[in-house]
Amino acid sequence: MSREEILFANEAFYQAFADGDAAAMTALWAEEAPIACLHPGWEPLFEREHVIASWRAILEKPPAVRCLAPRVHDHGEVAFVLCWEAVGDQYLLATNIFAREAGRWRMVHHQSGPTNGKPPAAARDDRPRTIN
Amino acid sequence: MSREEILFANEAFYQAFADGDAAAMTALWAEEAPIACLHPGWEPLFEREHVIASWRAILEKPPAVRCLAPRVHDHGEVAFVLCWEAVGDQYLLATNIFAREAGRWRMVHHQSGPTNGKPPAAARDDRPRTIN
């Protein structure tokens, strides 16, 4: 059950990202635990207001982003999801960390960075394991 | 106390990295929990043998790497450390996740990726918070 909840939280992140939904993006980040966000090419963001501001800026013109082949590593109250991000014709790799806050999985960390530029094997087989 | 232990585990990672110490690097990765490693520009590595093999290859000619301004987000049995990596004259940002295994903090995930190319503010002030 936990795994599905974590994947759902990860899916909600990419849905808010692709939809340019700043309210949903704001709501899914943790409010109690310290958070951090490492956008590729940006300075790292550690304060909630800076993280949220970065997403508001990005979501003004959201890219066509899809999550591919998410993989959950569940550690009980904390879990991380590793996945590809298809952004236009580029592929990135992301580490998304979630922590339970008041019974709900909320994002506490996001890092996205370069891969070898290739999609996951499943996608190469024309069987993309997208979240949509 | 936990914070110091986590910083020590993170320091041991960069020490093994800089020293090209494959045995130390192998020993610090978790053996029970699933692990993952996202080197910038590589395909993602999920199997322990692939992660260890990647480090053996990298450590044959280790770069001059230093960890700067590590920041610990402690979640009890899991913690993550965010830090700059100074590699030669380049700066990267890393997410290092540790989990307690038999009472010891062991690495379960590493992602390194591009920042805005600048060192942490502390380093710009000529007060690098290095681990050495």
Side-chain angles (χ1 to χ4, degrees), chain B residues 7-19 21 24-25 28-29 37 39 55 59 65 67 83 85 94-96 98 107 109-112 131:
Chain B
L7 282 172
F8 184 81
N10 192 62
E11 182 176 333
F13 168 71
Y14 286 102
Q15 198 71 54
F17 193 169
D19 289 349
D21 186 340
M25 181 61 80
L28 62 83
W29 281 87
C37 188
H39 298 296
W55 283 108
L59 297 182
V65 60
C67 165
C83 59
E85 295 178 342
T95 299
N96 298 320
F98 298 89
M107 187 168 257
H109 180 65
H110 168 74
Q111 179 172 14
S112 180
I131 56 157

Side-chain angles (χ1 to χ4, degrees), chain B residues 72-95:
Chain B
V72 177
H73 288 192
D74 182 6
H75 287 266
E77 294 302 300
V78 179
F80 53 102
V81 179
L82 311 172
C83 59
W84 276 260
E85 295 178 342
V87 184
D89 58 358
Q90 288 197 311
Y91 292 92
L92 298 167
L93 283 168
T95 299

Side-chain angles (χ1 to χ4, degrees), chain A residues 5 12 16 31 42 54 56 82-83 86 88:
Chain A
E5 289 173 2
E31 304 220 35
W42 291 47
S54 76
R56 285 194 179 277
L82 311 171
C83 58

Side-chain angles (χ1 to χ4, degrees), chain B residues 3-78:
Chain B
R3 191 175 171 278
E4 283 68 34
E5 289 174 2
I6 297 157
L7 282 172
F8 184 81
N10 192 62
E11 182 176 333
F13 168 71
Y14 286 102
Q15 198 71 54
F17 193 169
D19 289 349
D21 186 340
M25 181 61 80
T26 301
L28 62 83
W29 281 87
E31 304 221 33
E32 291 166 22
I35 63 175
C37 188
L38 309 181
H39 298 296
W42 291 47
E43 67 177 329
L45 306 171
F46 299 122
E47 302 301 324
R48 194 173 200 281
E49 77 179 273
H50 296 157
V51 173
I52 299 302
S54 77
W55 283 108
R56 286 194 180 278
I58 290 167
L59 297 182
E60 281 179 12
K61 197 177 173 184
V65 60
R66 285 182 308 145
C67 165
L68 300 176
R71 191 181 174 100
V72 177
H73 288 192
D74 182 6
H75 287 266
E77 294 302 300
V78 179

Side-chain angles (χ1 to χ4, degrees), chain A residues 33-44 46-47 71-75 77-78 80 82 84 93-95 97 99 108-109 111-117 124, chain B residues 33-44 46-47 71-75 77-78 80 82 84 93-95 97 99 108-109 111-117 124:
Chain A
I35 63 176
C37 189
L38 310 181
H39 298 296
W42 291 47
E43 68 176 330
F46 299 121
E47 301 302 324
R71 192 181 173 99
V72 177
H73 287 193
D74 182 5
H75 288 265
E77 294 301 301
V78 179
F80 52 103
L82 311 171
W84 277 260
L93 283 167
T95 300
I97 311 180
V108 291
H109 180 64
Q111 179 171 15
S112 180
T115 174
N116 60 357
R124 287 200 298 269
Chain B
I35 63 175
C37 188
L38 309 181
H39 298 296
W42 291 47
E43 67 177 329
F46 299 122
E47 302 301 324
R71 191 181 174 100
V72 177
H73 288 192
D74 182 6
H75 287 266
E77 294 302 300
V78 179
F80 53 102
L82 311 172
W84 276 260
L93 283 168
T95 299
I97 311 180
V108 291
H109 180 65
Q111 179 172 14
S112 180
T115 174
N116 59 357
R124 287 200 297 271

